[in-house]
């Protein structure tokens, strides 16, 4: 058995039957040809969006494909090909150092580049899908395929790579296009307010501001196990919002382009009185109700019990079903 304790930011003490890493596409294809990829299998990245319900009775795979390679460049933009095993925030730091605009609002999101394209990570008004050109993959039969961004089915924290039928498609490289022209996304959260502390706006300053905001709000997984936002913000028809506004006139919401609205799940969880509350060793974070934390020694089942209780409260009070963003692994 192989311990997965250091491979999941929730800090759940589970093991996998086998653990296999590879450092290149060739190595992955050789493993496949040798029949080393036995079922069931699960491909992980940094484990920052996973919740293991129990030991994983199978093979856990992990990419160590590194490298950031410039593919094309002109005065206005640069295209880069990045290995799936590169730590996401190292890539953001690299972009900022090189004066490439686009990733800075996604600073400090845990995990690796491969998963960023699976999850369509997003924060502070930016989603990674808007920076991706294509996603390179190898499937369980050793076949390579490049998906153009339009083929990836991107939506809010979603892509075709999350579909059960694509669990045997492994991301090996992601190609991004970054801009060399100065532009920023600032109209989200307290970014503008925080920027007032600095004499001028630059890419490194914005990265620092994002990091500072995140560190003040989100628990550090090294200190308290968590997987970031546990739930997705539900998207509902406008009529549903209007009905809720009768009872909750101050309900926050974001307008979407298609006429529907997104309601912050954290606000609803807070209204249900869950912020800072514990259920055994699992708790709702006291600063951000969207985050569930492991107070120490929690099992996957403890986190699931808390998640179920929170979801039931929100359903009862608001008539809305909230769904986990975190990938539950039942093994
Ligand atoms: C403190 C904290 C804050 C966070 N904040 C944010 C945030 O602001 N915005 C946001 O979007 N997310 C956030 N997250 C969630 C998480 O960082 C992202 O979902 C991240 O992309 C997960 O990356 P990972 O490498 O850890 O992937 P994992 O959690 O290991 O895997 C996630 C999914 O991707 C699949 N996968 C991973 N690598 C590959 C691969 N190479 N090929 C095929 N499939 C693969 C896995 O099977 C799984 O389904 C946060 C998490 C934490 C702990």
């Amino acid at each position: 058995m192989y311990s997965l304790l250091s491979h999941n930011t929730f800090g759940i003490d589970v093991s996998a039957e086998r653990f296999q890493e590879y450092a290149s596409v060739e190595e992955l294809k050789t493993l496949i040809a040798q029949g080393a990829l036995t079922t069931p299998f699960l491909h992980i990245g940094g484990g920052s969006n996973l919740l293991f319900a129990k030991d994983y009775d199978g093979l856990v795979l992990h990419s160590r494909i590194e490298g950031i390679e410039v593919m094309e460049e002109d005065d206005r933009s640069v295209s880069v090909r990045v290995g799936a095993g590169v730590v996401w925030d190292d890539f953001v730091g690299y972009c900022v150092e090189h004066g490439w605009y686009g990733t800075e609002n996604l600073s400090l999101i845990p995990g690796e580049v491969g998963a960023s394209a699976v999850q369509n990570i997003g924060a502070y008004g930016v989603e990674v899908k808007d920076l991706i050109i294509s996603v390179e993959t190898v499937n369980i039969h050793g076949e390579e395929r490049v998906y153009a961004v339009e083929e990836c089915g991107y939506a809010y924290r979603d892509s075709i790579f999350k579909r059960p039928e694509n669990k045997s498609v492994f991301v090996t490289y992601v190609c991004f296009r970054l801009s060399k022209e100065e532009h920023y996304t600032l109209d989200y959260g307290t970014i503008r307010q925080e920027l007032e502390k600095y004499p001028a706006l630059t890419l490194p300053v914005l990265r620092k501001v994002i990091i500072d905001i995140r560190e003040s709000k989100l628990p550090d997984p090294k200190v308290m196990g968590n997987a970031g936002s546990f739930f997705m913000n539900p998207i509902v028809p406008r009529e549903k919002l209007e009905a809720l506004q009768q009872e909750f006139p101050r309900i926050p919401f974001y307008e979407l382009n298609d006429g529907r609205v997104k309601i912050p799940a954290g606000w609803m969880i807070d209204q249900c009185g869950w912020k800072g509350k514990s259920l055994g060793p699992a708790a709702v974070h006291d600063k951000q109700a969207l985050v569930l934390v492991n107070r120490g020694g929690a099992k996957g089942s403890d986190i699931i019990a808390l998640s179920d209780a929170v979801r039931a409260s929100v359903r009862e009070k608001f008539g809305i079903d909230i769904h986990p963003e975190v990938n539950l692994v039942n093994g």
Side-chain angles (χ1 to χ4, degrees):
M1 294 296 269
Y2 180 92
S3 173
L4 296 172
L5 187 56
S6 63
H7 291 277
N8 75 101
T9 59
F10 247 124
I12 308 289
D13 192 3
V14 284
S15 300
E17 217 168 80
R18 280 176 59 221
F19 184 76
Q20 177 73 58
E21 295 190 310
Y22 57 89
S24 67
V25 169
E26 293 66 40
E27 194 182 343
L28 173 60
K29 288 171 78 170
T30 303
L31 287 167
I32 293 169
Q34 291 169 341
L37 267 50
T38 48
T39 45
F41 55 81
L42 168 72
H43 198 303
I44 65 166
S48 56
N49 203 240
L50 299 177
L51 175 59
F52 287 97
K54 60 182 187 62
D55 285 339
Y56 188 72
D57 297 326
L59 167 69
V60 169
L61 268 174
H62 180 234
S63 166
R64 296 198 80 100
I65 300 179
E66 295 288 333
I68 301 175
E69 186 191 351
V70 171
M71 306 299 287
E72 265 180 40
E73 189 168 13
D74 60 24
D75 291 347
R76 298 171 60 185
S77 69
V78 57
S79 306
V80 285
R81 180 172 182 252
V82 189
V86 171
V87 170
W88 170 260
D89 194 53
D90 290 350
F91 173 52
V92 177
Y94 190 91
C95 292
V96 167
E97 268 169 39
H98 285 75
W100 300 339
Y101 294 80
T103 59
E104 58 282 355
N105 286 37
L106 306 176
S107 289
L108 211 66
I109 296 182
E112 296 167 3
V113 165
S116 75
V118 173
Q119 302 280 105
N120 184 22
I121 57 170
Y124 299 97
V126 173
E127 275 185 319
V128 80
K129 71 172 174 55
D130 296 322
L131 307 171
I132 290 176
I133 306 169
S134 59
V135 179
E136 297 180 26
T137 65
V138 170
N139 71 14
I140 190 69
H141 307 297
E143 297 156 344
E144 294 185 42
R145 176 170 168 188
V146 181
Y147 292 76
V149 65
E150 305 79 40
E151 296 177 285
C152 297
Y154 282 126
Y156 169 52
R157 300 294 179 274
D158 198 20
S159 74
I160 55 162
F161 307 112
K162 291 185 93 169
R163 305 276 172 280
E165 65 272 23
N166 286 331
K167 283 293 159 195
S168 51
V169 173
F170 313 131
V171 175
T172 50
Y173 286 92
V174 185
C175 296
F176 300 90
R177 181 173 295 113
L178 291 322
S179 173
K180 289 186 178 178
E181 294 176 293
E182 187 173 19
H183 72 279
Y184 304 98
T185 302
L186 305 176
D187 293 318
Y188 204 92
T190 54
I191 296 179
R192 282 189 189 278
Q193 201 179 313
E194 293 294 318
L195 280 170
E196 283 168 15
K197 297 179 190 158
Y198 296 86
L201 170 59
T202 62
L203 262 185
V205 162
L206 182 52
R207 172 161 161 81
K208 175 151 188 0
V209 159
I210 299 285
I211 290 174
D212 288 347
I213 297 174
R214 292 183 67 96
E215 284 181 336
S216 71
K217 281 194 179 165
L218 289 167
D220 179 351
K222 289 192 201 89
V223 179
M224 197 183 284
N226 76 91
S229 303
F230 193 90
F231 300 102
M232 288 194 278
N233 293 317
I235 294 172
V236 300
R238 176 158 272 286
E239 302 81 69
K240 173 72 187 169
L241 171 74
E242 284 165 2
L244 284 170
Q245 280 172 327
Q246 305 295 318
E247 201 183 336
F248 308 98
R250 289 173 43 205
I251 186 167
F253 62 91
Y254 304 103
E255 306 265 5
L256 300 181
N257 293 337
D258 60 6
R260 295 181 300 163
V261 293
K262 196 191 270 185
I263 300 184
W267 181 84
M268 293 192 283
I269 297 167
D270 193 7
Q271 293 295 305
C272 292
W274 274 108
K275 205 185 222 173
K277 292 272 165 57
S278 304
L279 199 62
V284 177
H285 187 51
D286 56 0
K287 289 200 195 120
Q288 169 54 277
L290 204 51
V291 177
L292 304 190
V293 296
N294 174 359
R295 294 196 306 132
K299 295 187 170 61
S301 53
D302 295 318
I303 309 283
I304 293 166
L306 175 63
S307 155
D308 288 347
V310 166
R311 290 177 73 180
S313 299
V314 170
R315 201 177 302 121
E316 196 185 326
K317 194 171 176 86
F318 296 97
I320 292 180
D321 235 339
I322 54 171
H323 296 282
E325 176 181 325
V326 169
N327 298 281
L328 180 64
V329 184
N330 274 308

PDB file of all heavy atoms in Angstrom, residues 44-73:
ATOM      1  N   ILE A  44      -4.101  11.615 -10.632  1.00  0.00           N
ATOM      2  CA  ILE A  44      -4.202  12.803  -9.775  1.00  0.00           C
ATOM      3  C   ILE A  44      -3.159  13.845 -10.185  1.00  0.00           C
ATOM      4  O   ILE A  44      -2.211  13.559 -10.909  1.00  0.00           O
ATOM      5  CB  ILE A  44      -4.042  12.472  -8.266  1.00  0.00           C
ATOM      6  CG1 ILE A  44      -2.633  11.942  -7.964  1.00  0.00           C
ATOM      7  CG2 ILE A  44      -5.097  11.481  -7.821  1.00  0.00           C
ATOM      8  CD1 ILE A  44      -2.319  11.914  -6.476  1.00  0.00           C
ATOM      9  N   GLY A  45      -3.379  15.071  -9.685  1.00  0.00           N
ATOM     10  CA  GLY A  45      -2.363  16.111  -9.817  1.00  0.00           C
ATOM     11  C   GLY A  45      -1.798  16.317  -8.413  1.00  0.00           C
ATOM     12  O   GLY A  45      -1.275  15.385  -7.807  1.00  0.00           O
ATOM     13  N   GLY A  46      -1.978  17.527  -7.891  1.00  0.00           N
ATOM     14  CA  GLY A  46      -1.495  17.815  -6.538  1.00  0.00           C
ATOM     15  C   GLY A  46      -2.471  17.398  -5.449  1.00  0.00           C
ATOM     16  O   GLY A  46      -2.214  17.635  -4.266  1.00  0.00           O
ATOM     17  N   GLY A  47      -3.618  16.837  -5.824  1.00  0.00           N
ATOM     18  CA  GLY A  47      -4.596  16.379  -4.822  1.00  0.00           C
ATOM     19  C   GLY A  47      -5.277  17.511  -4.076  1.00  0.00           C
ATOM     20  O   GLY A  47      -5.727  17.335  -2.946  1.00  0.00           O
ATOM     21  N   SER A  48      -5.367  18.684  -4.711  1.00  0.00           N
ATOM     22  CA  SER A  48      -5.960  19.827  -3.986  1.00  0.00           C
ATOM     23  C   SER A  48      -7.446  20.010  -4.276  1.00  0.00           C
ATOM     24  O   SER A  48      -8.056  20.952  -3.781  1.00  0.00           O
ATOM     25  CB  SER A  48      -5.195  21.111  -4.311  1.00  0.00           C
ATOM     26  OG  SER A  48      -5.164  21.331  -5.686  1.00  0.00           O
ATOM     27  N   ASN A  49      -8.006  19.070  -5.056  1.00  0.00           N
ATOM     28  CA  ASN A  49      -9.457  19.139  -5.265  1.00  0.00           C
ATOM     29  C   ASN A  49     -10.069  17.741  -5.159  1.00  0.00           C
ATOM     30  O   ASN A  49     -11.050  17.426  -5.811  1.00  0.00           O
ATOM     31  CB  ASN A  49      -9.770  19.768  -6.630  1.00  0.00           C
ATOM     32  CG  ASN A  49     -11.156  20.366  -6.683  1.00  0.00           C
ATOM     33  OD1 ASN A  49     -11.996  19.992  -7.479  1.00  0.00           O
ATOM     34  ND2 ASN A  49     -11.424  21.280  -5.764  1.00  0.00           N
ATOM     35  N   LEU A  50      -9.442  16.925  -4.312  1.00  0.00           N
ATOM     36  CA  LEU A  50      -9.887  15.539  -4.156  1.00  0.00           C
ATOM     37  C   LEU A  50     -10.310  15.279  -2.723  1.00  0.00           C
ATOM     38  O   LEU A  50      -9.716  15.824  -1.789  1.00  0.00           O
ATOM     39  CB  LEU A  50      -8.728  14.581  -4.466  1.00  0.00           C
ATOM     40  CG  LEU A  50      -8.105  14.610  -5.857  1.00  0.00           C
ATOM     41  CD1 LEU A  50      -6.927  13.634  -5.902  1.00  0.00           C
ATOM     42  CD2 LEU A  50      -9.132  14.248  -6.922  1.00  0.00           C
ATOM     43  N   LEU A  51     -11.328  14.441  -2.570  1.00  0.00           N
ATOM     44  CA  LEU A  51     -11.677  13.959  -1.233  1.00  0.00           C
ATOM     45  C   LEU A  51     -11.774  12.435  -1.317  1.00  0.00           C
ATOM     46  O   LEU A  51     -12.654  11.892  -1.992  1.00  0.00           O
ATOM     47  CB  LEU A  51     -13.014  14.561  -0.759  1.00  0.00           C
ATOM     48  CG  LEU A  51     -13.504  14.019   0.586  1.00  0.00           C
ATOM     49  CD1 LEU A  51     -12.488  14.269   1.701  1.00  0.00           C
ATOM     50  CD2 LEU A  51     -14.850  14.629   0.952  1.00  0.00           C
ATOM     51  N   PHE A  52     -10.832  11.755  -0.659  1.00  0.00           N
ATOM     52  CA  PHE A  52     -10.849  10.288  -0.658  1.00  0.00           C
ATOM     53  C   PHE A  52     -11.794   9.808   0.444  1.00  0.00           C
ATOM     54  O   PHE A  52     -11.581  10.087   1.630  1.00  0.00           O
ATOM     55  CB  PHE A  52      -9.441   9.736  -0.401  1.00  0.00           C
ATOM     56  CG  PHE A  52      -8.521   9.892  -1.584  1.00  0.00           C
ATOM     57  CD1 PHE A  52      -7.632  10.954  -1.667  1.00  0.00           C
ATOM     58  CD2 PHE A  52      -8.571   8.971  -2.632  1.00  0.00           C
ATOM     59  CE1 PHE A  52      -6.792  11.096  -2.764  1.00  0.00           C
ATOM     60  CE2 PHE A  52      -7.729   9.113  -3.738  1.00  0.00           C
ATOM     61  CZ  PHE A  52      -6.845  10.174  -3.803  1.00  0.00           C
ATOM     62  N   ALA A  53     -12.837   9.078   0.041  1.00  0.00           N
ATOM     63  CA  ALA A  53     -13.796   8.553   1.021  1.00  0.00           C
ATOM     64  C   ALA A  53     -13.180   7.393   1.796  1.00  0.00           C
ATOM     65  O   ALA A  53     -13.540   7.138   2.942  1.00  0.00           O
ATOM     66  CB  ALA A  53     -15.065   8.091   0.308  1.00  0.00           C
ATOM     67  N   LYS A  54     -12.251   6.688   1.152  1.00  0.00           N
ATOM     68  CA  LYS A  54     -11.582   5.540   1.797  1.00  0.00           C
ATOM     69  C   LYS A  54     -10.308   5.206   1.012  1.00  0.00           C
ATOM     70  O   LYS A  54     -10.005   5.904   0.039  1.00  0.00           O
ATOM     71  CB  LYS A  54     -12.532   4.342   1.858  1.00  0.00           C
ATOM     72  CG  LYS A  54     -13.020   3.832   0.505  1.00  0.00           C
ATOM     73  CD  LYS A  54     -13.981   2.700   0.738  1.00  0.00           C
ATOM     74  CE  LYS A  54     -14.422   1.983  -0.510  1.00  0.00           C
ATOM     75  NZ  LYS A  54     -13.400   1.319  -1.299  1.00  0.00           N
ATOM     76  N   ASP A  55      -9.616   4.137   1.434  1.00  0.00           N
ATOM     77  CA  ASP A  55      -8.424   3.716   0.692  1.00  0.00           C
ATOM     78  C   ASP A  55      -8.790   3.486  -0.770  1.00  0.00           C
ATOM     79  O   ASP A  55      -9.910   3.051  -1.069  1.00  0.00           O
ATOM     80  CB  ASP A  55      -7.874   2.397   1.272  1.00  0.00           C
ATOM     81  CG  ASP A  55      -7.156   2.619   2.596  1.00  0.00           C
ATOM     82  OD1 ASP A  55      -6.740   3.767   2.868  1.00  0.00           O
ATOM     83  OD2 ASP A  55      -7.047   1.649   3.367  1.00  0.00           O
ATOM     84  N   TYR A  56      -7.838   3.756  -1.655  1.00  0.00           N
ATOM     85  CA  TYR A  56      -8.114   3.553  -3.076  1.00  0.00           C
ATOM     86  C   TYR A  56      -7.610   2.172  -3.490  1.00  0.00           C
ATOM     87  O   TYR A  56      -6.400   1.924  -3.477  1.00  0.00           O
ATOM     88  CB  TYR A  56      -7.455   4.658  -3.915  1.00  0.00           C
ATOM     89  CG  TYR A  56      -7.880   4.574  -5.360  1.00  0.00           C
ATOM     90  CD1 TYR A  56      -9.170   4.934  -5.728  1.00  0.00           C
ATOM     91  CD2 TYR A  56      -7.031   4.085  -6.334  1.00  0.00           C
ATOM     92  CE1 TYR A  56      -9.593   4.816  -7.037  1.00  0.00           C
ATOM     93  CE2 TYR A  56      -7.443   3.974  -7.659  1.00  0.00           C
ATOM     94  CZ  TYR A  56      -8.734   4.348  -7.988  1.00  0.00           C
ATOM     95  OH  TYR A  56      -9.155   4.221  -9.286  1.00  0.00           O
ATOM     96  N   ASP A  57      -8.538   1.299  -3.837  1.00  0.00           N
ATOM     97  CA  ASP A  57      -8.183  -0.083  -4.186  1.00  0.00           C
ATOM     98  C   ASP A  57      -7.775  -0.166  -5.651  1.00  0.00           C
ATOM     99  O   ASP A  57      -8.441  -0.819  -6.459  1.00  0.00           O
ATOM    100  CB  ASP A  57      -9.375  -1.024  -3.922  1.00  0.00           C
ATOM    101  CG  ASP A  57      -9.740  -1.058  -2.446  1.00  0.00           C
ATOM    102  OD1 ASP A  57      -8.815  -0.941  -1.614  1.00  0.00           O
ATOM    103  OD2 ASP A  57     -10.942  -1.178  -2.131  1.00  0.00           O
ATOM    104  N   GLY A  58      -6.719   0.488  -5.989  1.00  0.00           N
ATOM    105  CA  GLY A  58      -6.276   0.465  -7.377  1.00  0.00           C
ATOM    106  C   GLY A  58      -5.005   1.274  -7.524  1.00  0.00           C
ATOM    107  O   GLY A  58      -4.272   1.519  -6.558  1.00  0.00           O
ATOM    108  N   LEU A  59      -4.764   1.684  -8.775  1.00  0.00           N
ATOM    109  CA  LEU A  59      -3.534   2.388  -9.135  1.00  0.00           C
ATOM    110  C   LEU A  59      -3.767   3.899  -9.173  1.00  0.00           C
ATOM    111  O   LEU A  59      -4.689   4.362  -9.855  1.00  0.00           O
ATOM    112  CB  LEU A  59      -3.104   1.895 -10.523  1.00  0.00           C
ATOM    113  CG  LEU A  59      -2.032   2.704 -11.247  1.00  0.00           C
ATOM    114  CD1 LEU A  59      -0.686   2.566 -10.537  1.00  0.00           C
ATOM    115  CD2 LEU A  59      -1.924   2.241 -12.694  1.00  0.00           C
ATOM    116  N   VAL A  60      -2.945   4.645  -8.462  1.00  0.00           N
ATOM    117  CA  VAL A  60      -2.987   6.109  -8.565  1.00  0.00           C
ATOM    118  C   VAL A  60      -1.813   6.545  -9.434  1.00  0.00           C
ATOM    119  O   VAL A  60      -0.664   6.158  -9.198  1.00  0.00           O
ATOM    120  CB  VAL A  60      -2.957   6.769  -7.169  1.00  0.00           C
ATOM    121  CG1 VAL A  60      -2.725   8.263  -7.286  1.00  0.00           C
ATOM    122  CG2 VAL A  60      -4.268   6.503  -6.430  1.00  0.00           C
ATOM    123  N   LEU A  61      -2.137   7.343 -10.456  1.00  0.00           N
ATOM    124  CA  LEU A  61      -1.141   7.814 -11.431  1.00  0.00           C
ATOM    125  C   LEU A  61      -0.856   9.294 -11.210  1.00  0.00           C
ATOM    126  O   LEU A  61      -1.775  10.053 -10.888  1.00  0.00           O
ATOM    127  CB  LEU A  61      -1.744   7.718 -12.825  1.00  0.00           C
ATOM    128  CG  LEU A  61      -1.560   6.475 -13.665  1.00  0.00           C
ATOM    129  CD1 LEU A  61      -2.410   6.636 -14.927  1.00  0.00           C
ATOM    130  CD2 LEU A  61      -0.096   6.305 -14.051  1.00  0.00           C
ATOM    131  N   HIS A  62       0.387   9.686 -11.465  1.00  0.00           N
ATOM    132  CA  HIS A  62       0.733  11.101 -11.308  1.00  0.00           C
ATOM    133  C   HIS A  62       1.777  11.504 -12.346  1.00  0.00           C
ATOM    134  O   HIS A  62       2.764  10.795 -12.533  1.00  0.00           O
ATOM    135  CB  HIS A  62       1.266  11.361  -9.890  1.00  0.00           C
ATOM    136  CG  HIS A  62       1.627  12.783  -9.655  1.00  0.00           C
ATOM    137  ND1 HIS A  62       2.854  13.188  -9.191  1.00  0.00           N
ATOM    138  CD2 HIS A  62       0.912  13.919  -9.837  1.00  0.00           C
ATOM    139  CE1 HIS A  62       2.882  14.497  -9.092  1.00  0.00           C
ATOM    140  NE2 HIS A  62       1.707  14.974  -9.477  1.00  0.00           N
ATOM    141  N   SER A  63       1.543  12.639 -12.999  1.00  0.00           N
ATOM    142  CA  SER A  63       2.471  13.123 -14.014  1.00  0.00           C
ATOM    143  C   SER A  63       3.589  13.954 -13.387  1.00  0.00           C
ATOM    144  O   SER A  63       3.325  14.816 -12.550  1.00  0.00           O
ATOM    145  CB  SER A  63       1.710  13.997 -15.019  1.00  0.00           C
ATOM    146  OG  SER A  63       2.628  14.728 -15.796  1.00  0.00           O
ATOM    147  N   ARG A  64       4.808  13.690 -13.822  1.00  0.00           N
ATOM    148  CA  ARG A  64       5.928  14.561 -13.449  1.00  0.00           C
ATOM    149  C   ARG A  64       6.500  15.212 -14.710  1.00  0.00           C
ATOM    150  O   ARG A  64       7.694  15.533 -14.763  1.00  0.00           O
ATOM    151  CB  ARG A  64       7.013  13.762 -12.724  1.00  0.00           C
ATOM    152  CG  ARG A  64       6.539  13.193 -11.400  1.00  0.00           C
ATOM    153  CD  ARG A  64       7.695  12.813 -10.535  1.00  0.00           C
ATOM    154  NE  ARG A  64       8.245  13.973  -9.888  1.00  0.00           N
ATOM    155  CZ  ARG A  64       7.992  14.328  -8.631  1.00  0.00           C
ATOM    156  NH1 ARG A  64       7.184  13.608  -7.895  1.00  0.00           N
ATOM    157  NH2 ARG A  64       8.542  15.396  -8.101  1.00  0.00           N
ATOM    158  N   ILE A  65       5.627  15.408 -15.709  1.00  0.00           N
ATOM    159  CA  ILE A  65       6.109  16.053 -16.942  1.00  0.00           C
ATOM    160  C   ILE A  65       6.321  17.542 -16.648  1.00  0.00           C
ATOM    161  O   ILE A  65       5.396  18.243 -16.247  1.00  0.00           O
ATOM    162  CB  ILE A  65       5.106  15.874 -18.101  1.00  0.00           C
ATOM    163  CG1 ILE A  65       4.902  14.382 -18.402  1.00  0.00           C
ATOM    164  CG2 ILE A  65       5.607  16.611 -19.351  1.00  0.00           C
ATOM    165  CD1 ILE A  65       3.902  14.091 -19.514  1.00  0.00           C
ATOM    166  N   GLU A  66       7.557  17.979 -16.810  1.00  0.00           N
ATOM    167  CA  GLU A  66       7.927  19.353 -16.485  1.00  0.00           C
ATOM    168  C   GLU A  66       8.117  20.167 -17.766  1.00  0.00           C
ATOM    169  O   GLU A  66       8.022  19.636 -18.864  1.00  0.00           O
ATOM    170  CB  GLU A  66       9.242  19.357 -15.684  1.00  0.00           C
ATOM    171  CG  GLU A  66       9.143  18.683 -14.319  1.00  0.00           C
ATOM    172  CD  GLU A  66       8.356  19.492 -13.318  1.00  0.00           C
ATOM    173  OE1 GLU A  66       8.315  20.734 -13.459  1.00  0.00           O
ATOM    174  OE2 GLU A  66       7.764  18.895 -12.403  1.00  0.00           O
ATOM    175  N   GLY A  67       8.467  21.421 -17.623  1.00  0.00           N
ATOM    176  CA  GLY A  67       8.890  22.239 -18.761  1.00  0.00           C
ATOM    177  C   GLY A  67       7.908  23.298 -19.182  1.00  0.00           C
ATOM    178  O   GLY A  67       6.699  23.078 -19.190  1.00  0.00           O
ATOM    179  N   ILE A  68       8.476  24.476 -19.486  1.00  0.00           N
ATOM    180  CA  ILE A  68       7.690  25.597 -20.032  1.00  0.00           C
ATOM    181  C   ILE A  68       8.437  26.022 -21.299  1.00  0.00           C
ATOM    182  O   ILE A  68       9.573  26.500 -21.222  1.00  0.00           O
ATOM    183  CB  ILE A  68       7.619  26.778 -19.039  1.00  0.00           C
ATOM    184  CG1 ILE A  68       6.994  26.335 -17.708  1.00  0.00           C
ATOM    185  CG2 ILE A  68       6.842  27.959 -19.644  1.00  0.00           C
ATOM    186  CD1 ILE A  68       6.985  27.408 -16.619  1.00  0.00           C
ATOM    187  N   GLU A  69       7.820  25.800 -22.445  1.00  0.00           N
ATOM    188  CA  GLU A  69       8.524  25.994 -23.719  1.00  0.00           C
ATOM    189  C   GLU A  69       7.766  27.023 -24.570  1.00  0.00           C
ATOM    190  O   GLU A  69       6.550  26.889 -24.760  1.00  0.00           O
ATOM    191  CB  GLU A  69       8.531  24.632 -24.438  1.00  0.00           C
ATOM    192  CG  GLU A  69       9.322  24.559 -25.688  1.00  0.00           C
ATOM    193  CD  GLU A  69       9.027  23.236 -26.428  1.00  0.00           C
ATOM    194  OE1 GLU A  69       8.356  22.353 -25.853  1.00  0.00           O
ATOM    195  OE2 GLU A  69       9.455  23.120 -27.568  1.00  0.00           O
ATOM    196  N   VAL A  70       8.495  28.025 -25.068  1.00  0.00           N
ATOM    197  CA  VAL A  70       7.842  29.020 -25.934  1.00  0.00           C
ATOM    198  C   VAL A  70       7.679  28.411 -27.322  1.00  0.00           C
ATOM    199  O   VAL A  70       8.639  27.928 -27.920  1.00  0.00           O
ATOM    200  CB  VAL A  70       8.680  30.320 -26.009  1.00  0.00           C
ATOM    201  CG1 VAL A  70       8.111  31.265 -27.069  1.00  0.00           C
ATOM    202  CG2 VAL A  70       8.711  31.015 -24.646  1.00  0.00           C
ATOM    203  N   MET A  71       6.451  28.429 -27.840  1.00  0.00           N
ATOM    204  CA  MET A  71       6.156  27.839 -29.150  1.00  0.00           C
ATOM    205  C   MET A  71       6.132  28.904 -30.251  1.00  0.00           C
ATOM    206  O   MET A  71       6.579  28.664 -31.364  1.00  0.00           O
ATOM    207  CB  MET A  71       4.790  27.124 -29.136  1.00  0.00           C
ATOM    208  CG  MET A  71       4.642  26.096 -28.029  1.00  0.00           C
ATOM    209  SD  MET A  71       5.866  24.792 -28.176  1.00  0.00           S
ATOM    210  CE  MET A  71       5.233  23.903 -29.577  1.00  0.00           C
ATOM    211  N   GLU A  72       5.559  30.061 -29.919  1.00  0.00           N
ATOM    212  CA  GLU A  72       5.422  31.157 -30.893  1.00  0.00           C
ATOM    213  C   GLU A  72       5.465  32.456 -30.130  1.00  0.00           C
ATOM    214  O   GLU A  72       4.980  32.516 -28.988  1.00  0.00           O
ATOM    215  CB  GLU A  72       4.053  31.078 -31.586  1.00  0.00           C
ATOM    216  CG  GLU A  72       4.050  30.346 -32.897  1.00  0.00           C
ATOM    217  CD  GLU A  72       2.663  30.317 -33.509  1.00  0.00           C
ATOM    218  OE1 GLU A  72       1.955  31.350 -33.424  1.00  0.00           O
ATOM    219  OE2 GLU A  72       2.304  29.257 -34.041  1.00  0.00           O
ATOM    220  N   GLU A  73       5.979  33.486 -30.766  1.00  0.00           N
ATOM    221  CA  GLU A  73       6.078  34.751 -30.046  1.00  0.00           C
ATOM    222  C   GLU A  73       6.087  35.892 -31.050  1.00  0.00           C
ATOM    223  O   GLU A  73       6.726  35.797 -32.102  1.00  0.00           O
ATOM    224  CB  GLU A  73       7.386  34.749 -29.245  1.00  0.00           C
ATOM    225  CG  GLU A  73       7.534  35.885 -28.296  1.00  0.00           C
ATOM    226  CD  GLU A  73       8.691  35.685 -27.314  1.00  0.00           C
ATOM    227  OE1 GLU A  73       9.513  34.778 -27.527  1.00  0.00           O
ATOM    228  OE2 GLU A  73       8.755  36.454 -26.351  1.00  0.00           O
TER     229      GLU A  73
END
